[in-house]
Amino acid sequence: MGASKTENFTEKQNATAALLKALGHPARIAIMEYLLKTNACICGDIVNELPLAQPTVSQHLKELKNAGLIKGSIEGNAICYCIDDKAIQKIKQYFDAFNIKIEKKKSCC
Amino acid sequence: MGASKTENFTEKQNATAALLKALGHPARIAIMEYLLKTNACICGDIVNELPLAQPTVSQHLKELKNAGLIKGSIEGNAICYCIDDKAIQKIKQYFDAFNIKIEKKKSCC
DNA sequence: TATCTTTATCGTAATATTGCAATATTAAAA
DNA sequence: TTTTAATATTGCAATATTACGATAAAGATA
């Protein structure tokens, strides 16, 4: 098949999975970490930071953007990318809640 | 291609991506949430909870196990699965740190 | 206007993922 | 020992992902 049966899971489960899937590639982790490391948005420059060809980087940026993890704004003939705080917060909250429930359990295995 | 160029990224980036990739599927999110919801390890029962055939569920469980997100111990002819706390904590710490850095930035876009 | 720079898109090859039927495995139960 | 129950593995079809060369698009600059 190759296609996930998303219709059988909750909206929330699908949304969570989509966010994490977008981060589930080393290049996209590297992009996020690079955007974080620099103290402002990055115009250009991302391609030179990564060991991948320009079209490949562009594709990864698109995926991160589709997932809502980054924003891009046009700045002359370059494009400024930066992290969308809200998406990261959503993920953080998810794992915070998850972790609290784990700690309450205390446990078997 | 279809294969990620992992050799060009750091160990940490690859490891982070691998963990998040394992969670980047609604069925695997559903499995984790089900394991969390119940107050102990689950022996059997997981297949009945999910809208997928038994071999498919088994495959997803295998991936979660490979990623270190769950543990499975044999219990008679059934298998007890439960969440591996350490993996979740690793992820939580990653996003905690990430979020702290984001907040320090305050920001441009 | 012509050219340069930056980013996106198209097309395509290689590989990975998803899902399931059929079957194997393993241990309990009859 | 045969049967039953639970889970894993195999094999395969359908689809998705990853990567990149070639090319397009769009604004800046000469």
Side-chain angles (χ1 to χ4, degrees):
Chain A
M1 291 246 160
S4 305
K5 295 184 85 181
T6 54
E7 69 278 11
N8 292 309
F9 301 98
T10 67
E11 278 300 307
K12 187 118 196 297
Q13 286 170 335
N14 285 322
T16 303
L19 268 182
L20 298 178
K21 185 180 184 182
L23 290 174
H25 189 290
R28 295 195 287 271
I29 289 288
I31 289 171
M32 294 297 284
E33 291 181 350
Y34 181 62
L35 289 177
L36 188 66
K37 198 182 67 182
T38 63
N39 271 330
C41 301
I42 294 304
C43 306
D45 222 17
I46 296 179
V47 169
N48 302 322
E49 276 296 312
L50 292 179
L52 295 167
Q54 179 269 322
T56 308
V57 174
S58 186
Q59 205 173 271
H60 283 306
L61 287 167
K62 192 180 178 185
E63 267 174 81
L64 288 171
K65 207 171 160 188
N66 284 343
L69 285 157
I70 62 174
K71 294 178 285 187
S73 56
I74 298 166
E75 195 85 12
N77 66 342
I79 294 185
C80 277
Y81 280 110
C82 62
I83 292 170
D84 192 327
D85 304 9
K86 286 194 295 290
I88 296 292
Q89 264 158 24
K90 250 189 244 170
I91 299 175
K92 180 180 139 49
Q93 280 161 21
Y94 183 83
F95 286 108
D96 282 352
F98 207 102
N99 210 53
I100 286 169
K101 283 183 201 157
I102 283 178
E103 279 167 5
K104 273 191 192 149
K105 242 207 254 186
K106 273 311 166 207
S107 175
C108 34
C109 341
Chain B
M1 290 246 160
S4 305
K5 295 182 84 180
T6 53
E7 70 277 11
N8 293 308
F9 301 100
T10 69
E11 277 302 305
K12 188 116 196 295
Q13 286 170 336
N14 285 322
T16 304
L19 268 182
L20 297 178
K21 185 180 185 181
L23 291 173
H25 189 290
R28 295 195 287 270
I29 288 288
I31 289 171
M32 294 297 284
E33 291 180 351
Y34 181 63
L35 288 177
L36 187 66
K37 197 182 67 182
T38 63
N39 272 331
C41 301
I42 294 306
C43 306
D45 220 18
I46 295 180
V47 170
N48 301 323
E49 275 295 311
L50 291 178
L52 294 167
Q54 180 267 324
T56 308
V57 174
S58 186
Q59 204 173 273
H60 283 306
L61 287 168
K62 193 179 178 185
E63 268 176 79
L64 288 171
K65 206 171 162 190
N66 284 343
L69 284 156
I70 63 175
K71 293 177 286 186
S73 55
I74 297 165
E75 196 85 11
N77 67 343
I79 294 185
C80 278
Y81 281 110
C82 62
I83 292 171
D84 191 328
D85 304 9
K86 286 194 294 288
I88 295 292
Q89 263 157 25
K90 251 189 242 170
I91 299 176
K92 179 180 138 53
Q93 279 162 21
Y94 183 82
F95 286 108
D96 281 354
F98 208 102
N99 211 52
I100 286 170
K101 284 184 200 158
I102 283 178
E103 279 167 3
K104 274 191 190 151
K105 242 207 250 185
K106 274 310 168 208
S107 176
C108 34
C109 341

